[in-house]
């Protein structure tokens, strides 16, 4: 092994990518992505649907080849050492990839056997994972009878039958209720605590805020911002004004007043009542609210505070997390399974 490779493996970097490109027809799904992900961290990957998140994940997980650019996983070259990389990573895609006709125990035993465990070892590993993921009471139940949260937990459990050094989680809590989502978050934290590096794609802004040590925002195949949650929030302004109107018929007049007074554009939520905008000067905010009152535009609430990650997302991509177009990544959302 040459000195350069030894240095890459020992420098605390799990993933390093430079200029990754993937083209589908005339569309550059990924257009020159650069990444450096430290070992033992959660790295959040945010972006609208169709921004290139899943395509990037699939390249780094060796499922598809990049058209250009280079990448290494724990110092191993993505193109020439894919077999070594596959032995150190695991991927949980957006959809459960387990057999729904089998029980939880049967699924985990099957995967354990495929990973080289003896029958005795496979049964023991299945029991350990079912207990760790709070699924022991459902161990003998068919997976198709599991709730959404239980399905996600069994899928992640299957992904770590052999604990990976790097785990790719592609929108792991999509569609889950708050309780199930929090359970998955706890699982992710425990994995990282035990040394696994996690690359997490998500459209849940709270999820990124809660879990990610660093966050990259990708849009139209390019990374447009990168940093900690605090750094990203600081990058879009010192404060944000949120105004809740009582009557949607006042939205147009209120927007005009706020934009004139604050000198910035107003974002109108889908309900037509919630307005938000950047606000640098609190005295100007007071003047704007005063003019709304003089114009008899009733508001039910307002707040002035630090930008949220959702507002960062809006500023950087031009759309809020709940307004993303229903566009499929790379022309299709494939059911990416474990590597």
């Amino acid at each position: 092994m040459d000195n350069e490779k030894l240095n890459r493996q020992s420098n605390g970097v799990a993933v390093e990518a430079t200029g990754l490109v993937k083209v589908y027809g005339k569309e550059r799904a990924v257009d020159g992505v650069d990444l450096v992900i430290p070992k033992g961290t959660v790295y959040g990957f945010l972006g609208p649907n169709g921004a290139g998140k899943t395509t990037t994940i699939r390249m780094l997980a060796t499922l598809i080849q990049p058209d250009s650019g280079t990448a290494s996983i724990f110092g191993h070259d993505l193109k020439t050492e894919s077999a070594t990389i596959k032995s150190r990573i695991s991927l949980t895609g957006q959809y459960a990839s387990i057999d729904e006709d089998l029980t939880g125990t049967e699924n985990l035993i099957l995967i354990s056997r495929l990973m080289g465990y003896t029958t005795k070892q496979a049964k023991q590993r299945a029991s350990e994972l079912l207990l760790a993921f709070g699924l022991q009471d459902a161990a003998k139940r068919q997976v198709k009878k599991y709730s959404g949260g239980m399905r996600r937990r069994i899928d992640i459990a299957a992904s770590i039958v052999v604990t990976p050094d790097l785990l790719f989680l592609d929108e792991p809590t999509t569609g889950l209720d708050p309780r199930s989502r929090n359970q998955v978050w706890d699982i992710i934290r425990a994995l990282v605590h035990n040394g696994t590096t996690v690359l997490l794609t998500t459209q849940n802004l709270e999820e990124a805020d809660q879990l990610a040590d660093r966050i990259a925002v990708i849009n139209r195949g390019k990374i447009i911002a990168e940093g900690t949650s605090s750094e990203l929030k600081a990058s879009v302004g010192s404060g944000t004004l949120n105004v809740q109107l009582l009557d949607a018929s006042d939205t147009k007049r209120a927007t005009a007043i706020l934009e004139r007074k604050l000198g910035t554009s107003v974002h109108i939520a889908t309900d037509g009542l919630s307005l938000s905008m950047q606000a640098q000067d609190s005295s100007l905010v007071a003047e704007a609210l005063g003019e709304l009152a003089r114009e008899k535009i009733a508001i039910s609430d307002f707040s002035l505070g630090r930008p949220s990650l959702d507002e960062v997302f809006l500023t950087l991509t031009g759309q809020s997390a709940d307004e993303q177009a229903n566009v499929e990544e790379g022309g299709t959302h494939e059911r990416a399974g474990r590597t």
Side-chain angles (χ1 to χ4, degrees):
M1 184 179 293
D2 59 35
N3 289 334
E4 183 180 354
K5 184 179 291 186
L6 282 170
N7 288 337
R8 290 200 307 268
Q9 290 184 344
S10 62
N11 67 359
V13 174
V15 178
E16 188 170 4
T18 304
L20 284 184
V21 172
K22 188 64 183 177
V23 179
Y24 292 101
K26 296 181 179 180
E27 179 186 358
R28 294 174 75 86
V30 176
D31 190 10
V33 162
D34 299 333
L35 286 174
V36 177
I37 302 176
K39 294 178 182 177
T41 63
V42 178
Y43 195 89
F45 213 33
L46 298 181
N49 284 336
K53 301 187 304 296
T54 296
T55 303
T56 301
I57 289 283
R58 296 183 70 228
M59 285 191 285
L60 293 174
T62 75
L63 294 178
I64 57 175
Q65 287 285 333
D67 293 319
S68 62
T70 61
S72 62
I73 309 294
F74 300 109
H76 299 288
D77 184 80
L78 189 67
K79 293 181 180 178
T80 63
E81 300 177 271
S82 62
T84 302
I85 290 172
K86 287 178 181 178
S87 70
R88 301 189 64 178
I89 67 174
S90 189
L91 167 65
T92 296
Q94 296 178 21
Y95 305 95
S97 54
I98 49 182
D99 190 328
E100 295 194 347
D101 289 325
L102 299 180
T103 66
T105 296
E106 289 168 342
N107 266 289
L108 294 179
I109 289 175
L110 173 62
I111 293 168
S112 297
R113 294 287 286 131
L114 291 173
M115 298 298 291
Y117 285 78
T118 65
T119 299
K120 181 178 179 181
Q121 290 171 333
K123 290 180 179 178
Q124 181 178 347
R125 184 57 174 158
S127 296
E128 292 171 352
L129 289 168
L130 288 164
L131 179 62
F133 283 69
L135 294 169
Q136 64 271 31
D137 292 340
K140 297 182 179 180
R141 193 186 312 166
Q142 286 179 300
V143 170
K144 64 184 176 183
K145 297 178 181 178
Y146 282 15
S147 67
M150 293 167 67
R151 286 169 183 250
R152 292 309 285 162
R153 280 184 278 154
I154 193 72
D155 201 47
I156 295 174
S159 297
I160 62 169
V161 164
V162 176
T163 304
D165 295 319
L166 173 63
L167 176 61
F168 297 98
L169 289 177
D170 197 3
E171 301 189 18
T173 61
T174 298
L176 298 188
D177 61 80
R179 181 174 180 272
S180 297
R181 182 189 63 192
N182 287 334
Q183 289 173 333
V184 171
W185 288 0
D186 287 341
I187 290 167
I188 294 170
R189 292 186 183 106
L191 287 169
V192 175
H193 178 75
N194 290 323
T196 297
T197 303
V198 174
L199 177 51
L200 169 75
T201 76
T202 181
Q203 293 180 25
N204 184 324
L205 284 279
E206 183 187 0
E207 184 163 84
D209 226 353
Q210 287 280 335
L211 296 176
D213 298 289
R214 295 190 70 82
I215 299 168
V217 181
I218 185 171
N219 195 34
R220 298 182 179 180
K222 297 178 181 290
I223 291 181
I224 57 176
E226 198 271 351
T228 65
S229 177
S230 296
E231 288 169 347
L232 291 176
K233 290 173 183 178
S235 72
V236 301
S238 59
T240 301
L241 174 65
N242 298 289
V243 175
Q244 186 77 21
L245 302 177
L246 280 175
D247 191 338
S249 65
D250 291 327
T251 300
K252 186 174 180 180
R253 287 194 302 139
T255 299
I257 290 170
L258 292 169
E259 288 183 341
R260 184 177 71 253
K261 287 290 186 180
L262 300 177
T264 186
S265 61
V266 172
H267 171 65
I268 305 171
T270 53
D271 62 7
L273 295 171
S274 302
L275 311 181
S276 61
M277 65 236 67
Q278 291 184 40
Q280 303 287 342
D281 189 333
S282 58
S283 63
L284 292 179
V285 170
E287 291 181 15
L289 294 174
E291 184 160 346
L292 291 179
R294 288 191 294 274
E295 293 295 323
K296 300 189 183 324
I297 297 175
I299 63 174
S300 60
D301 192 20
F302 74 91
S303 63
L304 177 64
R306 187 183 184 193
S308 67
L309 200 53
D310 193 27
E311 289 154 352
V312 173
F313 193 89
L314 168 65
T315 301
L316 294 173
T317 68
Q319 57 186 149
S320 63
D322 62 358
E323 293 178 331
Q324 296 170 26
N326 187 23
V327 180
E328 301 284 316
E329 294 258 1
T332 180
H333 270 310
E334 298 197 19
R335 296 191 175 212
R338 265 166 233 94
T339 57

